[in-house]
Short mmCIF file of all heavy atoms in Angstrom, two decimals:
data_model
loop_
_atom_site.label_atom_id
_atom_site.label_comp_id
_atom_site.label_asym_id
_atom_site.label_seq_id
_atom_site.Cartn_x
_atom_site.Cartn_y
_atom_site.Cartn_z
N GLY B 98 -86.76 -113.28 111.26
CA GLY B 98 -87.95 -113.70 111.93
C GLY B 98 -87.68 -114.68 113.10
O GLY B 98 -86.54 -115.02 113.37
N ALA B 99 -88.77 -115.17 113.63
CA ALA B 99 -88.76 -116.11 114.80
C ALA B 99 -87.94 -117.27 114.46
O ALA B 99 -87.21 -117.86 115.22
CB ALA B 99 -90.12 -116.48 115.28
N ARG B 100 -88.06 -117.79 113.24
CA ARG B 100 -87.39 -119.01 112.88
C ARG B 100 -85.90 -118.78 112.77
O ARG B 100 -85.07 -119.70 113.19
CB ARG B 100 -87.90 -119.45 111.52
CG ARG B 100 -87.52 -120.78 111.09
CD ARG B 100 -88.24 -121.22 109.78
NE ARG B 100 -87.46 -122.38 109.22
CZ ARG B 100 -87.92 -123.04 108.19
NH1 ARG B 100 -89.09 -122.80 107.62
NH2 ARG B 100 -87.14 -124.07 107.75
N TRP B 101 -85.53 -117.64 112.12
CA TRP B 101 -84.07 -117.36 112.05
C TRP B 101 -83.42 -117.17 113.53
O TRP B 101 -82.37 -117.70 113.70
CB TRP B 101 -83.90 -116.01 111.28
CG TRP B 101 -82.49 -115.84 110.84
CD1 TRP B 101 -81.98 -116.17 109.61
CD2 TRP B 101 -81.37 -115.19 111.62
NE1 TRP B 101 -80.60 -115.88 109.55
CE2 TRP B 101 -80.26 -115.26 110.74
CE3 TRP B 101 -81.32 -114.65 112.82
CZ2 TRP B 101 -79.02 -114.71 111.16
CZ3 TRP B 101 -80.10 -114.11 113.25
CH2 TRP B 101 -78.96 -114.20 112.35
N ILE B 102 -84.17 -116.45 114.34
CA ILE B 102 -83.73 -116.32 115.71
C ILE B 102 -83.48 -117.60 116.41
O ILE B 102 -82.64 -117.93 117.08
CB ILE B 102 -84.54 -115.33 116.42
CG1 ILE B 102 -84.54 -113.86 115.80
CG2 ILE B 102 -84.11 -115.23 117.92
CD1 ILE B 102 -85.48 -112.97 116.50
N GLY B 103 -84.49 -118.53 116.10
CA GLY B 103 -84.34 -119.86 116.70
C GLY B 103 -83.13 -120.58 116.21
O GLY B 103 -82.47 -121.25 117.05
N GLY B 104 -82.76 -120.50 114.97
CA GLY B 104 -81.61 -121.03 114.38
C GLY B 104 -80.39 -120.44 115.02
O GLY B 104 -79.38 -121.18 115.25
N PHE B 105 -80.35 -119.15 115.18
CA PHE B 105 -79.21 -118.44 115.78
C PHE B 105 -78.94 -119.01 117.13
O PHE B 105 -77.77 -119.48 117.46
CB PHE B 105 -79.50 -116.96 115.83
CG PHE B 105 -78.51 -116.17 116.60
CD1 PHE B 105 -77.43 -115.68 115.98
CD2 PHE B 105 -78.65 -115.94 117.97
CE1 PHE B 105 -76.51 -114.95 116.73
CE2 PHE B 105 -77.69 -115.28 118.68
CZ PHE B 105 -76.62 -114.71 118.06
N TYR B 106 -79.97 -119.18 117.99
CA TYR B 106 -79.71 -119.67 119.33
C TYR B 106 -79.44 -121.14 119.31
O TYR B 106 -78.70 -121.63 120.21
CB TYR B 106 -80.96 -119.39 120.24
CG TYR B 106 -80.87 -117.98 120.84
CD1 TYR B 106 -81.68 -116.96 120.32
CD2 TYR B 106 -80.04 -117.64 121.86
CE1 TYR B 106 -81.66 -115.72 120.74
CE2 TYR B 106 -79.97 -116.37 122.35
CZ TYR B 106 -80.81 -115.44 121.77
OH TYR B 106 -80.75 -114.13 122.34
N ARG B 107 -79.93 -121.90 118.33
CA ARG B 107 -79.54 -123.30 118.23
C ARG B 107 -78.01 -123.49 117.97
O ARG B 107 -77.35 -124.22 118.66
CB ARG B 107 -80.30 -123.97 117.10
CG ARG B 107 -80.32 -125.49 117.21
CD ARG B 107 -81.25 -126.13 116.14
NE ARG B 107 -80.88 -125.78 114.81
CZ ARG B 107 -81.64 -125.00 114.00
NH1 ARG B 107 -82.77 -124.55 114.36
NH2 ARG B 107 -81.14 -124.74 112.80
N GLY B 108 -77.47 -122.64 117.08
CA GLY B 108 -76.06 -122.74 116.77
C GLY B 108 -75.30 -122.28 117.93
O GLY B 108 -74.20 -122.82 118.28
N LEU B 109 -75.69 -121.15 118.58
CA LEU B 109 -74.95 -120.60 119.77
C LEU B 109 -74.98 -121.66 120.93
O LEU B 109 -73.87 -121.90 121.52
CB LEU B 109 -75.59 -119.28 120.23
CG LEU B 109 -74.85 -118.46 121.22
CD1 LEU B 109 -75.08 -116.94 120.94
CD2 LEU B 109 -75.21 -118.79 122.60
N LEU B 110 -76.11 -122.19 121.26
CA LEU B 110 -76.30 -123.09 122.41
C LEU B 110 -75.50 -124.38 122.22
O LEU B 110 -75.05 -124.98 123.10
CB LEU B 110 -77.68 -123.34 122.84
CG LEU B 110 -78.37 -122.03 123.42
CD1 LEU B 110 -79.87 -122.21 123.48
CD2 LEU B 110 -77.77 -121.72 124.80
N SER B 111 -75.47 -124.83 120.90
CA SER B 111 -74.76 -126.05 120.65
C SER B 111 -73.31 -125.93 120.96
O SER B 111 -72.70 -126.79 121.71
CB SER B 111 -75.03 -126.43 119.22
OG SER B 111 -74.16 -127.44 118.79
N LEU B 112 -72.62 -124.82 120.59
CA LEU B 112 -71.28 -124.53 120.90
C LEU B 112 -71.08 -124.29 122.34
O LEU B 112 -70.13 -124.75 123.00
CB LEU B 112 -70.79 -123.35 120.09
CG LEU B 112 -69.28 -123.00 120.30
CD1 LEU B 112 -68.38 -124.17 119.71
CD2 LEU B 112 -68.89 -121.75 119.57
N ALA B 113 -72.08 -123.60 122.99
CA ALA B 113 -72.05 -123.28 124.43
C ALA B 113 -71.96 -124.64 125.22
O ALA B 113 -71.15 -124.79 126.13
CB ALA B 113 -73.21 -122.46 124.83
N ARG B 114 -72.84 -125.59 124.87
CA ARG B 114 -72.88 -126.95 125.58
C ARG B 114 -71.51 -127.66 125.43
O ARG B 114 -71.00 -128.24 126.37
CB ARG B 114 -73.99 -127.77 125.12
CG ARG B 114 -75.30 -127.30 125.71
CD ARG B 114 -76.49 -128.28 125.42
NE ARG B 114 -77.69 -127.54 125.71
CZ ARG B 114 -78.43 -127.00 124.79
NH1 ARG B 114 -78.08 -127.16 123.52
NH2 ARG B 114 -79.49 -126.30 125.01
N ALA B 115 -70.99 -127.60 124.17
CA ALA B 115 -69.69 -128.25 123.93
C ALA B 115 -68.62 -127.73 124.88
O ALA B 115 -67.61 -128.44 125.08
CB ALA B 115 -69.33 -128.12 122.45
N HIS B 116 -68.74 -126.46 125.16
CA HIS B 116 -67.63 -125.84 126.12
C HIS B 116 -68.20 -125.55 127.49
O HIS B 116 -67.58 -124.80 128.19
CB HIS B 116 -67.06 -124.61 125.45
CG HIS B 116 -66.33 -124.91 124.19
ND1 HIS B 116 -65.04 -125.35 124.30
CD2 HIS B 116 -66.55 -124.87 122.94
CE1 HIS B 116 -64.48 -125.58 123.11
NE2 HIS B 116 -65.51 -125.24 122.27
#
Side-chain angles (χ1 to χ4, degrees):
Chain B
R100 194 174 159 171
W101 194 94
I102 296 175
F105 172 89
Y106 278 101
R107 199 173 59 246
L109 189 149
L110 287 169
S111 168
L112 184 64
R114 280 193 200 96
H116 289 283

